[in-house]
Amino acid sequence: MKIAVAKGDGIGPEIMDAVLTIFNANKVPLEYENVEMGKWVFDKGFSNGMTPEAQQSIESLGILFKGPMETPKGKGVKSVNVTARKTWNTYANKRVFQTLHGVDTVFSKAGIPIDLTIVRENIEDTYGGIEHMLTHDVALSRRFITRPGSLQVIKYAFEMASKNGARRITCGHKANIMKITDGLFLEVFYEVAKDYPNLKADDVIVDDLCMKLVSRPQEFDVVVLTNLQGDIVSDLCAGLVGGLGFAPSANIGDHICIFEAVHGTAPDIAGRNIANPTALLLSGIAMLRHLGLMENAAVIENALLYTLESGVHTGDFGDKNIASVNTTQFAEAIIGNLGKTPAHGARPLLPNKPVTPTVFKLAENPLIITQELENEQVVGVDFFIESTEQPNAVAEKCLRHTGDLFKLVNVSNRGTQVWPKGSVFTNMVNQYGCRFESVGEANVTQTDILELYKKLAQDFKVCSTELLNKWGDKKAYSLAQGQ
Ligand code: NAI
């Protein structure tokens, strides 16, 4: 089997070399094709951070093992890490956090074992980075949560939890505030849960989840979250087991999977051969299991656990009374321990299972739609306009343009209603949301809305527009606070 390897930037080449040396010492039956990705590829003029040849190799091999990569600051350049995950639809980010003996944490000292898996949605949410300045004072980020996107990741989380004999699966969310976006994610979670009656499925609001993960981490097993919340919660979990140096990650898609450490390029220690390769090694071990190389994975993981237990450590962790070793020496210690069994948490030696590497050619991009909706109507429009006037003055101008088709329902500022009722204590900025609903909730056409737009534009700069959809009896838009 051949896989694509991108060593990455900063400490990437040092830790990748350490990991591949360990793989070779264990005679892992893999061939590696080095591909060009990372900061230096941006610098050569490839705006997505990878060469066309690299993209072609990864798409035909199906597996990318990568080191961390630097995102050049400014210049509107997007992160190659995020681009790779989105381009290849690696919709689930799986991060396993387990107590490692030899890595002291408050929990290990208290004898509280940690064994948690976070599944983070990996391609949607605010990570589209679709952002605009609407006025000089007001920035807007679009947050996409889709039904197909949520279904993919949640189905993966349930399937993985059920196969691994998990006792509980929890959805972390903020649906109490983001009723439509997080509400959709949560709705899909419970839809999928119906297919897994033997798995205890529940949900916890994300702030409460953070508190509970820190105070009673042993109560959780698999936790699934949207992208940004999952990013934050998984770093919190990394802290529970000793920090980012111990946090592996697998980006799972139907065709292409990317295995990488959670941490970045650590520019402050790059080139000194002192970085901790454990997180990348754990990611590599997860990759071996994904490829059916179960015995290789267990032998290497046992050697790693044995090495940690024996007190060998790089400078970023471990007993300060024992001198630290460098990256190369750490890898050599693990190689010296291949075949040894740790006292705690030894992994069973399952035989390797042959698997067929994924080689595929898709003829066209798949477009995924989960359901056709009936009774779809457009019953109004939100215009976001720039103005420095008071709400009454804004409303007065809006009311001049409603005509026979529309009525002005409310004016809001930063999502809080300021007209027809409001409070003088609400702080405002120079952008209002003006909600026009159709009279009698009649269906209106886009041309009707354009006519209203033209009239409104005589009085205001219109910054942004959203249609008010209604499906059957269900309003597909949120109310303003106070409405
Ligand atoms: P970072 O994770 O690179 O570093 C944070 C701190 O952790 C630093 O003090 C660093 O020395 C330490 N650290 C990280 N990994 C370590 C290791 N293996 N051994 C010992 N110490 C380690 O995060 P930072 O500084 O925010 O980002 C640096 C660059 O990495 C940025 O360009 C960022 O865009 C990129 N990055 C790339 C990621 C990826 O490729 N998946 C993920 C996160 C950041």
Side-chain angles (χ1 to χ4, degrees):
M1 267 183 292
K2 199 189 225 184
I3 63 163
V5 171
K7 293 189 177 181
D9 305 310
I11 58 169
E14 301 160 44
I15 54 175
M16 184 61 83
D17 286 344
V19 170
L20 295 184
T21 309
I22 297 167
F23 280 14
N24 289 336
N26 186 236
K27 299 195 168 37
V28 169
L30 284 178
E31 278 179 53
Y32 309 107
E33 181 173 325
N34 284 312
V35 293
E36 295 187 318
M37 276 177 94
K39 162 125 187 350
W40 55 282
V41 184
F42 278 114
D43 295 344
K44 276 167 73 176
F46 295 97
S47 62
N48 62 353
M50 64 181 106
T51 60
E53 294 76 24
Q55 175 159 359
Q56 202 175 13
S57 293
I58 295 160
E59 290 184 2
S60 60
L61 294 170
I63 299 285
L64 171 64
F65 189 28
K66 72 176 272 296
M69 289 173 192
E70 183 183 331
T71 305
K73 292 198 179 75
K75 298 185 215 155
V77 173
K78 299 236 176 185
S79 153
V80 62
N81 307 303
V82 178
T83 303
R85 291 171 205 155
K86 290 180 58 140
T87 305
W88 295 312
N89 193 34
T90 61
Y91 49 79
N93 184 258
K94 179 186 172 197
R95 299 180 177 182
V96 177
F97 302 98
Q98 287 176 322
T99 302
L100 296 165
H101 292 269
V103 183
D104 276 349
T105 66
V106 278
F107 296 97
S108 67
K109 285 179 184 160
I112 300 171
I114 299 206
D115 187 359
L116 273 168
T117 303
I118 303 288
V119 179
R120 161 189 169 196
E121 196 288 314
N122 215 19
I123 50 182
E124 302 198 329
D125 204 338
T126 46
Y127 284 66
I130 304 168
E131 303 194 318
H132 297 91
M133 289 302 296
L134 297 191
T135 75
H136 272 288
D137 282 349
V138 179
L140 173 80
S141 165
R142 292 201 164 221
R143 176 171 194 250
F144 283 104
I145 302 291
T146 72
R147 185 177 291 277
S150 304
L151 254 180
Q152 281 183 313
V153 64
I154 290 170
K155 271 188 179 165
Y156 167 79
F158 271 91
E159 198 53 33
M160 185 270 301
S162 143
K163 277 199 181 126
N164 292 347
R167 55 199 153 80
R168 177 181 180 193
I169 180 164
T170 306
C171 179
H173 63 88
K174 195 74 185 170
N176 53 329
I177 303 296
M178 293 177 280
K179 291 182 197 300
I180 293 195
T181 47
D182 272 24
L184 175 60
F185 193 77
L186 187 60
E187 182 184 308
V188 172
F189 176 83
Y190 281 115
E191 267 170 31
V192 176
K194 286 185 203 141
D195 295 335
Y196 297 85
N198 298 327
L199 201 52
K200 181 180 178 236
D202 60 5
D203 68 281
V204 181
I205 290 175
V206 68
D207 35 349
D208 187 25
L209 176 69
C210 289
M211 190 269 290
K212 287 187 169 132
L213 279 168
V214 171
S215 55
R216 298 192 295 277
Q218 69 280 20
E219 289 182 4
F220 293 91
D221 195 342
V222 175
V223 184
V224 58
L225 303 112
T226 53
N227 202 342
L228 178 59
Q229 292 168 30
D231 194 8
I232 297 166
V233 168
S234 54
D235 270 25
L236 179 151
C237 292
L240 302 179
V241 295
L244 286 182
F246 304 94
S249 128
N251 301 284
I252 307 287
D254 288 336
H255 303 297
I256 296 172
C257 296
I258 306 170
F259 295 83
E260 61 180 338
V262 171
H263 62 71
T265 58
D268 49 339
I269 57 166
R272 292 163 57 194
N273 194 29
I274 57 171
N276 177 3
T278 307
L280 189 65
L281 181 59
L282 287 169
S283 312
I285 291 168
M287 177 180 73
L288 297 184
R289 293 209 168 91
H290 179 85
L291 293 171
L293 299 171
M294 313 306 265
E295 189 176 340
N296 293 100
V299 169
I300 296 173
E301 193 164 12
N302 283 340
L304 166 69
L305 297 177
Y306 188 97
T307 306
L308 294 172
E309 269 178 9
S310 64
V312 176
H313 66 92
T314 46
D316 55 309
F317 75 103
D319 188 343
K320 295 291 169 222
N321 297 317
I322 304 175
S324 61
V325 297
N326 66 28
T327 312
T328 314
Q329 290 163 333
F330 190 74
E332 281 164 359
I334 294 171
I335 291 169
N337 290 330
L338 287 169
K340 294 185 183 160
T341 309
H344 302 277
R347 307 295 186 244
L349 291 186
L350 303 172
N352 285 343
K353 292 191 291 196
V355 289
T356 316
T358 335
V359 179
F360 49 86
K361 291 266 178 288
L362 290 183
E364 56 186 32
N365 292 6
L367 176 83
I368 35 177
I369 304 175
T370 52
Q371 77 192 87
E372 293 291 329
L373 289 159
E374 288 167 12
N375 279 335
E376 182 176 336
Q377 288 191 305
V378 176
V379 293
V381 57
D382 278 342
F383 284 116
F384 295 89
I385 56 108
E386 181 170 349
S387 172
T388 49
E389 291 180 288
Q390 286 294 308
N392 279 343
V394 171
E396 199 182 302
K397 285 184 180 166
C398 289
L399 285 167
R400 280 189 222 149
H401 302 303
T402 51
D404 297 336
L405 283 182
F406 294 97
K407 58 183 186 215
L408 180 68
V409 178
N410 80 333
V411 177
S412 60
N413 199 291
R414 286 192 280 180
T416 304
Q417 179 171 289
V418 290
W419 183 93
K421 285 197 187 124
S423 165
V424 286
F425 294 104
T426 304
N427 255 345
M428 295 188 300
V429 294
N430 63 352
Q431 199 229 25
Y432 289 94
C434 305
R435 174 160 292 177
F436 293 87
E437 280 180 4
S438 56
V439 174
E441 291 201 344
N443 192 29
V444 284
T445 64
Q446 302 221 61
T447 314
D448 298 332
I449 287 169
L450 277 174
E451 288 304 320
L452 180 59
Y453 189 124
K454 275 201 252 171
K455 288 196 254 171
L456 210 62
Q458 294 165 11
D459 283 324
F460 303 110
K461 176 174 153 198
V462 179
C463 312
S464 153
T465 310
E466 293 294 343
L467 299 181
L468 302 181
N469 291 307
K470 198 172 167 207
W471 294 310
D473 292 335
K474 194 173 168 190
K475 286 184 172 171
Y477 50 94
S478 60
L479 300 182
Q481 267 141 10
Q483 189 181 345

